[in-house]
Amino acid sequence: MNDPGTRRSHRPRGAATLLLTALTAAAVLAATTACAGPDRAERSGAEGRAAAGHPARVRPADSDSLQGVWRMDGYGTLVTVGGRSLRTYETTGISCLPGSVTGTRAGAPGPHGSLRFTVPDSAPITVVPAGAGRARLTIEDNVGRRTLHRTDALPARCTRRTPRDPRTVFDIFWQTYAENYPFFRAKKIDWAAVRDRFRPQITAKTTEDELFAVFRKMIEPLHDAHTRVVVSKDKWFAGMRPGTVLPTPTSTVRIDKAIAANLGPGVTRHRWAHGMLSYADLPGRLGYFRVTSFAHYTQKGDYAGDLAALDRALDSVFTKARTQGPASLRGLIIDVRLNGGGADPLGLRIASRLTGRPYLAYRKRARNDPHDPARFTTPQPSRIRPHRGPVYTGPIAVLTGRLTVSAGETFTQALMGRSPAPLRIGENTQGVFSDVLGRALPNGWSFGLPNEEFLTADGRTFDGPGIPPAVRTPVFTDDELSARRDSALTRARELLADGAPEQHP
């Protein structure tokens, strides 16, 4: 999502969804779980580069207080608004490159002087004045907002062509991680030592293959599925938590057969959104709702279309008959074990059908100091507000595993504040929550990294190890699939039938 700073969750931006809707390691997942292949906007990826040459200064116009140059808190991004256009620049302390986002104003200014911009192959962006020298930027398929501060002009380096030699490329790659990656301490990685080890190996004669191999060696020890480097659609590397086995077309068929066998004979599964959403009524007034992606629900793949497709599915699942009265559900199983991510707001949309009262889903913040990885933007709360219509408020079991990735994880986290709290069953999620901060390199390559934290009410994060289950079971192991067992699903049915205990976050 994300590029005016970033993914994860962001919508396809030309080359922005490289592995799973918002990830990269998930790109592989994307290809094998029908999420997407290299390069839509992974929520940040090889994005189409805009030509350089934007004027160094954009003078505010009397008719529009948002005209000018803006510096974004966090995300290493500058935003220019000139005439009817918006564009971004990706910056570090040593570089400035044209960003992937170029927007065109849609219509006249809105309430409070807001401007809405359409972005090719991506979700619309809205910028709103927020006081003297300040503005707020929101992306339609992103949670939270970005704070902008007016600045006099673009730095001179933004208007100069950046050298393409291997050392410059290396320095920008290393510097971007140094200024934005929040988890070096948690991963026990000395990033300065990484530079000292590898930079002497880079010379003017370093080949493309050699440079790619160095970048891979630099980020592989992070074991982070939101890190990646992309040379082309056929040559890329994305991180991954140790022990993760990515699905293949063959294993996906085996998984589907195991799930079907454990749902039982005579059970009908209704499908929506190209099969990425499905539901079945089970004996004992239980429901089974499987969500395999938070993106690409329609052929067009735009966020507005995804939102409409999701609402149609939710209207069909959460009917008055299933949520109220003597025949209503006694328990609901939500399966996100093979969910590669997508747009976080879609997860919040589902959560709104599962509560009768507002509550905090999580708070989101971004690293905000190039020199201090402990400094972040002010955490922004995302709240769940009940849907105006039928909602299910009974017991829930959520099935998770290592292939619960990105927006699949923020959705799982968003349910933790619900009452009664869901019972999590299976294995730890993958452990990547941030949108992917997508960046380009002057040699035409792209790369990505996380720069955000999603906080619980008490300030915890689950980056790295992922969200743990309360009831641990095997998930899609070879032994399970060979025997067509699904221990997590079976255990969920047993516990819900008995009246599942509430799980404390």
Side-chain angles (χ1 to χ4, degrees):
M1 125 176 217
N2 163 355
D3 205 71
T6 332
R7 93 51 264 10
R8 168 194 329 329
S9 123
H10 208 23
R11 301 300 300 173
R13 192 180 345 335
T17 194
L18 184 106
L19 317 159
L20 245 187
T21 301
L23 355 162
T24 333
V28 188
L29 276 181
T32 56
T33 63
C35 277
D39 247 334
R40 285 198 51 183
E42 178 182 51
R43 312 239 191 221
S44 20
E47 23 253 297
R49 308 319 304 167
H54 194 284
R57 182 182 296 271
V58 180
R59 298 186 182 281
D62 293 338
S63 61
D64 189 347
S65 64
L66 290 173
Q67 300 282 311
V69 183
W70 302 86
R71 175 183 56 79
M72 185 181 293
D73 278 348
Y75 304 96
T77 298
L78 293 172
V79 179
T80 64
V81 178
R84 301 187 63 83
S85 298
L86 174 148
R87 73 171 304 172
T88 62
Y89 290 81
E90 302 167 359
T91 71
T92 70
I94 62 170
S95 64
C96 178
L97 292 166
S100 66
V101 176
T102 56
T104 302
R105 188 196 295 186
H112 310 293
S114 64
L115 298 180
R116 188 171 186 268
F117 296 87
T118 59
V119 181
D121 298 321
S122 189
I125 290 172
T126 299
V127 184
V128 184
R134 289 167 58 90
R136 295 192 302 270
L137 182 148
T138 58
I139 309 169
E140 192 169 280
D141 66 349
N142 240 235
V143 299
R145 62 182 182 270
R146 318 286 170 80
T147 298
L148 304 179
H149 302 272
R150 185 179 293 282
T151 186
D152 288 339
L154 289 173
R157 62 177 179 271
C158 295
T159 62
R160 294 194 296 259
R161 183 173 296 278
T162 303
R164 298 166 54 91
D165 64 281
R167 272 222 162 167
T168 299
V169 172
F170 176 95
D171 288 342
I172 293 173
F173 182 84
W174 182 91
Q175 190 74 25
T176 304
Y177 270 82
E179 294 185 8
N180 295 283
Y181 192 74
F183 309 122
F184 287 125
R185 180 175 297 178
K187 301 291 179 77
K188 296 180 171 56
I189 298 294
D190 183 339
W191 194 238
V194 171
R195 176 195 56 202
D196 294 343
R197 174 188 173 190
F198 288 107
R199 194 174 190 274
Q201 301 177 25
I202 309 301
T203 69
K205 296 182 179 180
T206 298
T207 67
E208 179 179 281
D209 287 345
E210 291 169 340
L211 186 60
F212 175 75
V214 166
F215 285 174
R216 174 172 180 158
K217 290 176 184 176
M218 291 169 69
I219 64 175
E220 191 167 13
L222 297 172
H223 300 302
D224 189 324
H226 274 174
T227 61
R228 66 153 186 261
V229 57
V230 183
V231 177
S232 68
K233 68 177 183 178
D234 299 317
K235 185 175 183 179
W236 53 268
F237 171 77
M240 191 185 310
R241 201 178 81 207
T244 302
V245 178
L246 295 176
T248 65
T250 299
S251 68
T252 300
V253 170
R254 296 176 72 200
I255 289 168
D256 289 341
K257 288 181 177 179
I259 291 173
N262 287 271
L263 290 177
V267 170
T268 300
R269 281 178 58 190
H270 304 278
R271 292 176 170 83
W272 303 268
H274 293 166
M276 295 182 187
L277 305 170
S278 62
Y279 176 82
D281 285 308
L282 307 180
R285 291 166 43 205
L286 301 181
Y288 172 79
F289 185 35
R290 185 180 180 191
V291 184
T292 58
S293 175
F294 286 108
H296 308 294
Y297 290 168
T298 66
Q299 191 66 36
K300 185 177 179 181
D302 64 303
Y303 178 71
D306 285 352
L307 194 62
L310 176 62
D311 283 344
R312 287 192 294 271
L314 296 178
D315 288 344
S316 297
V317 172
F318 297 103
T319 62
K320 185 175 181 180
R322 290 195 181 100
T323 59
Q324 302 173 31
S328 63
L329 295 176
R330 295 180 61 244
L332 177 66
I333 300 166
I334 301 178
D335 189 349
V336 288
R337 289 173 295 174
L338 203 64
N339 187 304
D344 296 319
L346 297 184
L348 301 182
R349 195 85 164 189
I350 296 176
S352 73
R353 304 283 184 129
L354 301 172
T355 183
R357 64 170 183 85
Y359 69 89
L360 177 70
Y362 42 68
R363 294 178 297 136
K364 178 179 175 179
R365 65 182 186 177
R367 186 174 160 189
N368 197 30
D369 188 318
H371 309 292
D372 185 354
R375 294 188 64 181
F376 289 81
T377 57
T378 301
Q380 295 181 25
S382 291
R383 299 189 64 80
I384 306 298
R385 293 178 174 81
H387 172 68
R388 294 182 179 179
V391 295
Y392 173 76
T393 59
I396 291 176
V398 179
L399 310 185
T400 66
R402 294 168 191 253
L403 300 181
T404 305
V405 187
S406 196
E409 300 183 83
T410 65
F411 169 66
T412 302
Q413 185 171 347
L415 295 179
M416 291 172 63
R418 178 188 186 268
S419 180
L423 184 65
R424 299 187 301 274
I425 301 174
E427 297 178 340
N428 288 46
T429 64
Q430 176 67 205
V432 289
F433 295 77
S434 172
D435 291 333
V436 176
L437 182 66
R439 286 293 184 256
L441 290 166
N443 64 349
W445 297 4
S446 67
F447 67 104
L449 64 155
N451 69 316
E452 301 167 335
E453 291 183 332
F454 281 62
L455 306 175
T456 62
D458 59 359
R460 289 180 296 159
T461 72
F462 297 101
D463 288 281
I467 299 174
V471 179
R472 191 168 295 277
T473 69
V475 173
F476 304 146
T477 64
D478 188 63
D479 286 345
E480 290 262 304
L481 298 180
S482 295
R484 290 200 179 181
R485 285 195 308 268
D486 189 337
S487 296
L489 176 55
T490 299
R491 190 71 178 122
R493 294 183 68 170
E494 293 171 349
L495 290 170
L496 288 175
D498 293 339
E502 180 175 352
Q503 178 176 341
H504 296 289

